[in-house]
Amino acid sequence: MGISINLDSLLMLRNMKSKELADRIGITTANLSILKTGKAKAIRFSTLEAICKVLDCQPGDILEYVDDPNP
């Protein structure tokens, strides 16, 4: 499976909507959606930093490595 994105659960914990996060970090809701669904191929460190700052979290709270049982 690779890298799992846990933004939805963090947004729920912070009682924040995706649109509010997108506005506060300066990206489009479409790009945030691509990131949240795991369809993104990369993330800029500046975007990751902005997300961590707004959500008061660490990168490891957002990104998680999940081993693929069937490589």
Side-chain angles (χ1 to χ4, degrees):
M1 178 163 210
I3 303 296
S4 176
I5 308 294
N6 300 318
L7 265 178
D8 279 331
S9 57
L10 278 172
L11 287 170
M12 282 181 34
L13 286 172
R14 303 301 193 267
N15 199 22
M16 185 181 293
K17 302 283 185 191
S18 294
K19 178 160 179 22
E20 180 183 351
L21 178 60
D23 290 344
R24 290 180 65 182
I25 64 174
I27 66 172
T28 65
T29 53
N31 282 342
L32 183 60
S33 177
I34 289 168
L35 180 60
K36 283 176 40 179
T37 58
K39 294 179 182 175
K41 299 293 181 194
I43 182 171
R44 292 177 187 256
F45 282 131
S46 59
T47 302
L48 184 58
E49 181 181 358
I51 292 170
C52 289
K53 185 174 184 175
V54 169
L55 294 180
D56 188 29
C57 65
Q58 294 294 314
D61 298 328
I62 299 168
L63 305 172
E64 177 183 11
Y65 174 73
V66 181
D67 195 12
D68 188 359
N70 302 314

